[in-house]
Amino acid sequence: MISFLATGIGVAALLLAAWTGVQAYRRRPTTEGQMIGAIVVEIALLVQALIAVFRVAGTGLREPVTFLAYLFGVLLVLPLGFYLAREERSRWGSLSLCFTAVVVAVMVLRLVQLWGDRV
Amino acid sequence: MSEPAPGRPADAAAPTAGVHEHDGPPGGPRRLLIALYAVFALAATARAVVQIAVQFDEAPLAYALSLFSGLVYIAATVGLVTHRPWSRPLAWGACAIELVGVITIGIASIVDPQAFPHDTVWSRFGSGYGYIPLLLPVLGLLWLRYSRPGAEHGRSDDRSPA
């Protein structure tokens, strides 16, 4: 884990959630920009997972298995929101992407906590 | 005269509008429910698998319960995603079990915290998950009721005024 990368991803996910949330409030489907935003956040998550997997050995995490479960579990969430937003061209698609972006932010926060929890 | 009222156009319009490709109501809320349920299926199941693999002896009841809740969320997700004859009964059953589970475990974990030293998704009404576990079955059941076959919806888009 690299703390500025994790912070950046968390903030980006929250911004995406706010952006798609406003879009849902305005009863609109997601825009192309929002879909690209979701892809960018997902790529950043992939990069983070690759970096963290190499740095996790020998760090003495208290819950290494939980950490790895979050590290890879978080990769599954945005693709789900992305798929639903593409299928559902209405406010509900925007709301689905909004929800999954919030989940990503929460999971990244949890990852940072787990990373700091050493023996 | 511009568009039919959302409540009552069923009787006259039903025979012509009755080409049910996917049984009625607008699918939007269903997609959001799929997102919610899939995330919780992942969260509860992954949590249970990690707990059971790493430390099952510490709290077998809590971890078995986590796994059970994960399976219920998976069942509800499958019921929402698929369009089979068993899909809706499956979703109904899963949402009902979920509601009973979150209320029972929620009360039990507050009345007797000693019995639940390790959290499950349903402990304290799902407070560790923003109380969404308590809200979710209610939303699921409301949607299933709203979308049941034969229910009246304002599907004004496939009812031509003529």
Side-chain angles (χ1 to χ4, degrees):
Chain A
M1 289 275 283
I2 298 173
S3 66
F4 76 81
L5 181 58
T7 311
I9 294 173
V11 170
L14 283 179
L15 286 176
L16 182 66
W19 192 13
T20 50
V22 167
Q23 194 76 353
Y25 178 75
R26 292 165 64 203
R27 298 171 180 272
R28 306 264 175 82
T30 50
T31 63
E32 200 164 55
Q34 290 166 338
M35 300 306 257
I36 292 169
I39 293 170
V40 170
V41 174
E42 182 68 17
I43 290 171
L45 285 168
L46 268 170
V47 170
Q48 171 176 260
L50 280 176
I51 294 172
V53 113
F54 283 111
R55 294 186 59 171
V56 75
T59 45
L61 293 185
R62 196 183 297 276
E63 298 179 68
V65 181
T66 310
F67 178 79
L68 289 174
Y70 270 94
L71 192 63
F72 291 101
V74 74
L75 298 176
L76 304 175
V77 178
L78 266 187
L80 171 71
F82 185 91
Y83 170 76
L84 290 169
R86 270 195 60 141
E87 289 283 295
E88 182 63 37
R89 300 309 295 157
S90 74
R91 69 183 323 186
W92 297 99
S94 305
L95 210 49
S96 300
L97 189 55
C98 173
F99 168 69
T100 50
V102 172
V103 171
V104 166
V106 172
M107 289 180 79
V108 169
L109 179 66
R110 192 81 186 96
L111 268 174
V112 172
Q113 287 176 348
L114 289 164
W115 184 254
D117 188 13
R118 310 295 174 88
V119 177
Chain B
M1 62 172 282
S2 56
E3 56 181 65
R8 280 260 46 131
D11 309 19
T16 46
V19 197
H20 289 304
E21 317 96 77
H22 39 255
D23 259 344
R30 191 175 66 93
R31 294 254 163 66
L32 179 63
L33 280 174
I34 289 171
L36 288 159
Y37 271 102
V39 165
F40 271 86
L42 174 70
T45 313
R47 166 175 211 151
V49 168
V50 168
Q51 287 172 329
I52 288 172
V54 176
Q55 48 191 18
F56 182 65
D57 298 334
E58 283 182 27
L61 174 65
Y63 300 158
L65 211 59
S66 282
L67 185 62
F68 175 72
S69 63
L71 295 176
V72 173
Y73 285 122
I74 290 173
T77 311
V78 170
L80 286 168
V81 170
T82 54
H83 288 288
R84 300 296 179 85
W86 41 261
S87 296
R88 292 183 59 85
L90 179 67
W92 269 110
C95 287
I97 291 171
E98 207 189 314
L99 186 60
V100 172
V102 71
I103 289 175
T104 311
I105 304 305
I107 292 173
S109 62
I110 285 171
V111 171
D112 185 9
Q114 304 303 316
F116 295 90
H118 294 254
D119 269 1
T120 70
V121 177
W122 289 340
S123 297
R124 285 171 283 109
F125 301 107
S127 66
Y129 293 82
Y131 294 100
I132 295 177
L134 184 60
L135 190 65
L136 206 45
V138 177
L139 292 179
L141 289 171
L142 282 176
W143 188 84
L144 284 166
R145 202 180 92 87
Y146 168 77
S147 66
R148 70 196 186 281
E152 292 170 8
H153 310 283
R155 284 253 293 185
S156 47
D157 51 334
D158 33 287
R159 292 196 180 98
S160 51

